[in-house]
């Protein structure tokens, strides 16, 4: 079946957009920070070492993919995960990679734990 004939083309595109949004190391770092709870753009900038402009750009991609949402408080904007999808996906990918390789296994475990704290 092709997306044109099975009616799943729109669903496939939505899934692909979500996976593309998560497919960037900087965005994964931001998502990892947000796993710990809501944070301001300023705190995400400090935690990731990225510039404020880069953090804002990446948050826009994550927001369009419905992975994060935000609220304004005065001049500050706070972001949080919309659900546990990033935790689940990163946990499964890391676990799978840990099972298939010895190189970097410790780093993968640490990364997976960051998403589950």
């Amino acid at each position: 079946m092709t997306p044109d004939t099975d009616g799943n083309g729109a669903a496939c595109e939505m899934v692909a957009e979500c996976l593309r949004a998560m497919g960037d190391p900087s965005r994964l770092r931001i998502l990892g920070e947000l796993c710990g709870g809501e944070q301001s753009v300023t705190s995400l900038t400090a935690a990731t070492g990225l510039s404020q402009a880069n953090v804002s750009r990446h948050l826009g991609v994550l927001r369009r993919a419905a992975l994060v949402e935000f609220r304004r408080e005065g001049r500050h904007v706070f972001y949080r995960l919309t659900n546990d999808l990033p935790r689940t996906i990163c946990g499964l990918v890391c676990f799978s990679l840990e099972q298939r390789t010895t190189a970097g296994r410790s780093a993968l475990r640490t990364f997976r734990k960051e998403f589950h704290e």
Side-chain angles (χ1 to χ4, degrees):
M1 282 196 281
T2 65
D4 295 332
T5 61
D6 68 7
N8 289 330
C12 287
E13 185 54 40
M14 289 168 57
V15 171
E17 181 183 356
C18 179
L19 293 174
R20 278 192 299 269
M22 291 185 65
D24 180 271
S26 294
R27 289 193 286 272
L28 284 175
R29 288 169 47 202
I30 291 168
L31 289 169
E33 291 298 325
L34 292 174
C35 283
E38 183 179 78
Q39 292 194 44
S40 68
V41 173
T42 303
S43 66
L44 289 169
T45 298
T48 61
L50 299 168
S51 70
Q52 190 270 328
N54 268 339
V55 168
S56 293
R57 182 174 54 84
H58 287 303
L59 286 167
V61 172
L62 295 170
R63 198 173 67 242
R64 284 188 295 281
L67 293 169
V68 300
E69 56 192 8
F70 71 97
R71 68 177 178 85
R72 291 188 187 277
E73 189 175 296
R75 296 181 66 178
H76 298 281
V77 180
F78 294 87
Y79 283 84
R80 64 184 168 271
L81 297 177
T82 55
N83 57 44
D84 283 338
L85 183 64
R87 281 187 181 104
T88 302
I89 289 174
C90 285
L92 290 170
V93 170
C94 286
F95 181 76
S96 175
L97 291 171
E98 286 171 34
Q99 302 307 305
R100 293 185 291 151
T101 183
T102 55
R105 187 174 283 169
S106 176
L108 287 165
R109 257 189 227 114
T110 301
F111 185 72
R112 184 166 44 98
K113 285 178 185 177
E114 286 178 15
F115 270 84
H116 285 89
E117 292 180 353

